[in-house]
Amino acid sequence: MDGIKRAFAGSSFFINEVVAQSDGRAVFASPSPGKIQQLDISASKKWLCQPHVFLCADGGVTLTAALTKNLGAGLFGGAGFILQSIEGEGRAFIHAAGACIPHQLAAGETLRVETGSLAAFEESVTYDIELVGGLKSMLFSGEGIWFASLRGPGMVYIQSLALPRLAHALAPYLPTVRTSTE
């Protein structure tokens, strides 16, 4: 059942378990250019993250699907209705594309970011979406139509390079297959 929940949240159905037989070290690499960030997970500190951000965790940490609590955030928030919930006891590691920018929100403080730039946030943070602004901003800013709106208290991690933007930037440099229509 846990595998189905993970797959529903955008992660793998299976999780590899690495167990040290003697003194040793396991190293995990990120899937694209970016920063690996450690999250401390406890009964009082659960995290939510965008799908495909979770990298690995200690054995006492579980990864499941979490539904967004707001219809608008689910429809327009960039990740859909499904987020990944990281809970339990131990350490978890996430991968933020590009730079990983931490921001501690005070109670009632609001932070607005591009929806694709949100990597992870503590469960205590309220997540919603809002319009970028006027019609001119929506059409010409290049930021899209929606912002993710986060209200504290809690820690938020922002990624500077959303993977769809990286793919779009690299697309002109990738080889193409030409077909003949003779």
Side-chain angles (χ1 to χ4, degrees):
M1 195 63 178
D2 287 341
I4 292 170
K5 290 178 187 176
R6 283 190 301 273
F8 193 60
S11 194
S12 176
F13 181 82
F14 298 102
I15 290 184
N16 294 326
E17 183 173 320
V18 178
V19 179
Q21 299 300 318
S22 62
D23 290 343
R25 177 176 288 185
V27 178
F28 297 89
S30 60
S32 62
K35 169 94 167 74
I36 296 174
Q37 179 66 48
Q38 177 180 317
L39 304 177
D40 293 318
I41 312 297
S42 67
S44 63
K45 192 178 257 192
K46 298 175 185 176
W47 288 82
L48 296 170
C49 63
Q50 297 287 359
H52 309 293
V53 170
F54 175 80
L55 187 59
C56 60
D58 291 337
V61 174
T62 59
L63 176 70
T64 60
L67 296 175
T68 57
K69 295 176 184 171
N70 181 296
L71 179 65
L75 288 172
F76 306 110
F81 287 99
I82 308 299
L83 296 171
Q84 292 180 324
S85 174
I86 306 171
E87 52 190 83
E89 293 286 334
R91 297 170 301 166
F93 298 87
I94 60 167
H95 170 259
C100 183
I101 304 154
H103 187 80
Q104 180 67 46
L105 289 171
E109 180 183 2
T110 300
L111 176 68
R112 295 183 316 173
V113 299
E114 182 183 31
T115 55
S117 297
L118 179 59
F121 53 96
E122 287 181 309
E123 188 181 48
S124 60
V125 173
T126 302
Y127 169 59
D128 201 353
I129 55 100
E130 61 183 65
L131 285 170
V132 167
L135 184 61
K136 189 165 73 171
S137 294
M138 286 185 218
L139 295 176
F140 302 112
S141 71
E143 300 302 321
I145 298 175
W146 306 101
F147 275 135
S149 178
L150 305 154
R151 180 176 300 277
M155 179 62 80
V156 175
Y157 287 102
I158 308 300
Q159 58 188 357
S160 66
L161 181 63
L163 289 179
R165 283 197 171 192
L166 174 61
H168 181 73
L170 293 176
Y173 304 102
L174 297 175
T176 58
V177 177
R178 294 181 187 214
T179 58
S180 175
T181 57
E182 297 177 69

